[in-house]
Amino acid sequence: MIQLAVFSLLLLHCTHVCSFNLDELKNYIDSHQEDYVLTLRDWVAVESDSSDALKRDELMRMMKITENKFNDMKGHTNRFDIGNQELPNGQIIPLPVVVTASFGNDSNKATVCIYGHVDVQPARMEDGWDTEPYNLTEINGNLYGRGASDNKAPVLAWIHAVEAYQALDMDLPVNVKFIIEGMEETGSNGLDELISKQKDDFFSDVDYIIISDCGWLSRKPALTYGTRGNCYFFAEVEGPKQDLHSGVYGGSVFEPMIDLIGLLDTLIDSSGHILIPGINEAVAELTEEERKLYEAIEFDVENFKNKIGTNGLMYDTKEEILSHRWRYPSLSIHGIEGAFSASGSKTVIPAKVTAKFSIRQVPDMDPPTVEKQVTTYLNDMFAKRNTPNKLKVTMIIGAKPWLADVSDPLYVAGRRAVQKVFGVEPDLIREGGTIPVARTFQDVTGKSIIMLPIGGFDDGLHSQNEKMSRYNYIEGTKLFAAYLHEVSQINKS
Ligand SMILES: *[C@@H]1O[C@H](CO)[C@@H](O)[C@H](O)[C@H]1NC(C)=O
Ligand SMILES: *[C@@H]1O[C@H](CO)[C@@H](O)[C@H](O)[C@H]1NC(C)=O
Ligand SMILES: [Zn+2]
């Protein structure tokens, strides 16, 4: 009540445009948090699952809601048609539009572009949720719902940060643009093409790109300066023209499955060392400065172990564990298709089997080179087996890693904003996973990019009981409001 009275007074004081005042913004955000939670509830209620063709109307509706929100805020909006999607069954369905919005176009100000997505992963009560996934439910300060953390609350936090400036008649410190898509969870179909096409249009005046589609590492705020890429392979071994009975033929034929498993065993040794020549050699050296970043990070090895439910890890120290998740390549074997006797005790010799594995990419690895290295190596290893079976290796995804310079002014601004809202130095972290759009923005626009997360370390993205804490949502909105000001100070000191 007292705060509200103070506001009206302040509002009366500013006859036209008020000057920046972070405390006023913070107070405004605090006093509007119930509204923000209600909006998040409305957004989470839309089942904008991009992987489910039956939910495509809901996804379209979500894009419309996003566009309407920007229009209500008097943004200059646009919707980009990015074509259709062909489903595996041949059916053609429309892709959701990409929505853009601009607030301000003052050429004396810097322009930031915020990327986000409003599609979500699938979720059903039967998957083991404790609450209805599309009914935002608050328990002990956590807001449970599919898409709450990934990525609806962060998108809304940015929107509310801009709204707070508008409501207080505070001049936006920078021009703010948004680019919001609806296909992120299924590979951002059509987005790369749109970004390339809009390079000299929508992106022509953009100075900085901000992505808030990841999370902190601990309870401490973080800035993210790198993501790993990914090269995903299929290795198919084809043998006899049909499956065979192991009692009748076993002992006389070269079995595709035995060839394939032998081959997989040559990829990586038991201590995690990748055996493909050229892979480890391509990895950028760890510098002294970088090593120091790892020392400063808050990370509890025991907690990490407990969360996974394992008794042992490949490495013992925080620095080793984090660096092997973020700045070294890793090779994972995901499964084998064609292994029909997966259940029961069928005594079959499968005629054709396909292994799936992937190698997470880090600087300075290059996916086309990795493709050649892996293919050559597997063919050589296969030749040594002297088998008549046929091997076919294909790379189906080749996503590059992304890395920012932590001394870039965008990161300096990020540290200042975190200090002003949370009173601590942020952890400087990387993501082990892949966010391909970061690299696309970097390659196409050549602008600096920052990942500024507000999600918690335990938000359960893509999993059951996804949540966003009310604290992270509201304080995150303040962080974004503060960040817009800090970015405007770049080149001014
Ligand atoms: C630039 O801003 C002015 C004032 O808000 C507005 O009238 C105009 O349409 C804007 N132009 C563009 C291209 O956004
Ligand atoms: C959402 O959950 C609340 C309880 O948290 C319940 O009262 C309400 O009926 C639910 N709404 C829907 C649409 O299921
Ligand atoms: Zn996401």
Side-chain angles (χ1 to χ4, degrees):
M1 270 301 147
I2 290 166
Q3 277 177 359
L4 284 179
V6 172
F7 273 132
S8 341
L9 277 177
L10 286 168
L11 288 176
L12 287 177
H13 280 301
C14 305
T15 44
H16 41 282
V17 179
C18 304
S19 54
F20 173 77
N21 181 327
L22 184 58
D23 286 333
E24 276 180 49
L25 285 161
K26 286 179 179 174
N27 287 337
Y28 181 88
I29 291 164
D30 274 333
S31 59
H32 287 76
Q33 57 171 291
E34 292 313 322
D35 296 340
Y36 299 160
V37 172
L38 283 179
T39 312
L40 180 60
R41 161 181 291 276
D42 290 344
W43 281 34
V44 165
V46 185
E47 300 189 27
S48 52
D49 172 359
S50 53
S51 70
D52 185 348
L54 297 175
K55 304 241 171 85
R56 191 49 54 93
D57 285 347
E58 281 290 276
L59 182 52
M60 304 291 209
R61 191 161 73 82
M62 190 66 235
M63 300 318 296
K64 191 71 206 158
I65 289 171
T66 307
E67 188 186 352
N68 289 348
K69 178 79 194 167
F70 288 133
N71 282 328
D72 291 346
M73 295 162 69
K74 305 277 185 289
H76 188 96
T77 61
N78 226 326
R79 50 205 345 256
F80 292 97
D81 206 327
I82 51 168
N84 296 314
Q85 179 184 15
E86 186 173 348
L87 302 177
N89 67 8
Q91 194 196 346
I92 308 266
I93 58 170
L95 285 168
V97 293
V98 172
V99 172
T100 63
S102 311
F103 296 88
N105 55 24
D106 181 343
S107 59
N108 294 317
K109 293 180 186 171
T111 301
V112 301
C113 174
I114 295 149
Y115 161 86
H117 67 89
V118 290
D119 61 315
V120 300
Q121 287 274 324
R124 294 171 318 160
M125 200 68 194
E126 306 90 273
D127 298 338
W129 282 70
D130 295 330
T131 59
E132 282 289 340
Y134 295 102
N135 182 0
L136 192 77
T137 307
E138 184 161 9
I139 303 169
N140 295 333
N142 286 324
L143 302 159
Y144 291 91
R146 172 56 89 222
S149 183
D150 182 13
N151 185 223
K152 287 176 174 173
V155 169
L156 280 172
W158 276 114
I159 287 175
H160 295 144
V162 171
E163 268 186 338
Y165 275 94
Q166 293 180 329
L168 294 171
D169 264 331
M170 251 180 232
D171 191 29
L172 268 180
V174 290
N175 303 312
V176 181
K177 288 188 160 187
F178 285 89
I179 179 162
I180 308 293
E181 68 156 325
M183 287 301 285
E184 196 276 343
E185 300 295 359
T186 52
S188 292
N189 315 41
L191 187 68
D192 283 5
E193 212 185 329
L194 178 70
I195 293 171
S196 298
K197 275 196 202 148
Q198 288 297 315
K199 179 181 186 307
D200 300 317
D201 223 321
F202 179 77
F203 290 104
S204 64
D205 58 353
V206 170
D207 300 298
Y208 308 113
I209 291 169
I210 308 171
I211 301 175
S212 301
D213 191 17
C214 43
W216 299 349
L217 184 69
S218 65
R219 294 193 192 282
K220 215 164 132 203
L223 307 179
T224 308
Y225 66 94
T227 58
R228 291 196 291 189
N230 199 14
C231 288
Y232 200 107
F233 292 91
F234 283 180
E236 175 196 283
V237 177
E238 188 169 7
K241 70 178 181 351
Q242 72 215 16
D243 291 351
L244 301 171
H245 184 308
S246 67
V248 180
Y249 299 97
S252 68
V253 297
F254 285 88
E255 301 193 13
M257 183 69 97
I258 291 173
D259 281 342
L260 185 65
I261 299 223
L263 208 53
L264 291 177
D265 194 41
T266 67
L267 290 172
I268 184 163
D269 72 14
S270 60
S271 56
H273 186 77
I274 297 173
L275 303 172
I276 305 155
I279 300 279
N280 298 307
E281 290 78 354
V283 176
E285 290 283 332
L286 179 76
T287 62
E288 187 53 27
E289 281 155 43
E290 198 188 339
R291 207 183 50 75
K292 287 206 185 102
L293 289 179
Y294 283 89
E295 273 176 12
I297 292 171
E298 186 171 311
F299 179 74
D300 185 329
V301 174
E302 281 308 309
N303 265 350
F304 181 68
K305 261 194 296 263
N306 292 341
K307 198 174 141 197
I308 304 172
T310 181
N311 293 326
L313 295 167
M314 289 239 171
Y315 303 94
D316 299 322
T317 68
K318 168 180 86 174
E319 289 81 357
E320 285 174 312
I321 292 167
L322 292 178
S323 62
H324 281 274
R325 288 169 62 193
W326 297 343
R327 64 106 50 225
Y328 291 111
S330 59
L331 188 149
S332 304
I333 297 173
H334 307 294
I336 297 177
E337 268 179 42
F340 299 112
S341 40
S343 67
S345 53
K346 200 173 169 193
T347 51
V348 74
I349 299 171
K352 185 169 97 174
V353 283
T354 307
K356 303 173 189 183
F357 65 93
S358 70
I359 305 173
R360 292 285 170 178
Q361 304 287 299
V362 300
D364 300 316
M365 294 165 84
D366 165 54
T369 309
V370 170
E371 180 176 24
K372 275 196 215 98
Q373 288 164 338
V374 169
T375 310
T376 306
Y377 176 74
L378 285 182
N379 280 318
D380 288 353
M381 290 294 125
F382 198 67
K384 287 195 184 151
R385 298 187 66 86
N386 284 318
T387 163
N389 296 331
K390 285 192 208 65
L391 170 69
K392 193 170 87 190
V393 180
T394 35
M395 184 171 91
I396 57 149
I397 297 172
K400 295 180 198 167
W402 166 77
L403 185 68
D405 176 356
V406 292
S407 61
D408 187 284
L410 276 186
Y411 284 81
V412 176
R415 294 214 286 274
R416 288 205 182 121
V418 168
Q419 270 291 357
K420 286 185 181 167
V421 173
F422 296 95
V424 296
E425 270 298 303
D427 279 337
L428 289 162
I429 65 169
R430 295 207 206 178
E431 272 289 318
T434 307
I435 305 180
V437 73
R439 184 60 188 247
T440 306
F441 281 132
Q442 188 172 52
D443 290 348
V444 175
T445 69
K447 305 299 176 191
S448 323
I449 300 166
I450 186 171
M451 289 199 188
L452 189 58
I454 59 168
F457 72 98
D458 55 353
D459 279 359
L461 313 184
H462 297 200
S463 149
Q464 296 86 353
N465 302 327
E466 177 180 348
K467 60 94 175 151
M468 179 77 173
S469 74
R470 183 185 273 261
Y471 174 80
N472 281 48
Y473 184 32
I474 302 307
E475 299 307 301
T477 305
K478 295 178 191 171
L479 175 68
F480 292 165
Y483 191 66
L484 293 177
H485 173 72
E486 293 303 333
V487 171
S488 75
Q489 300 303 298
I490 294 177
N491 296 334
K492 278 195 184 156
S493 48

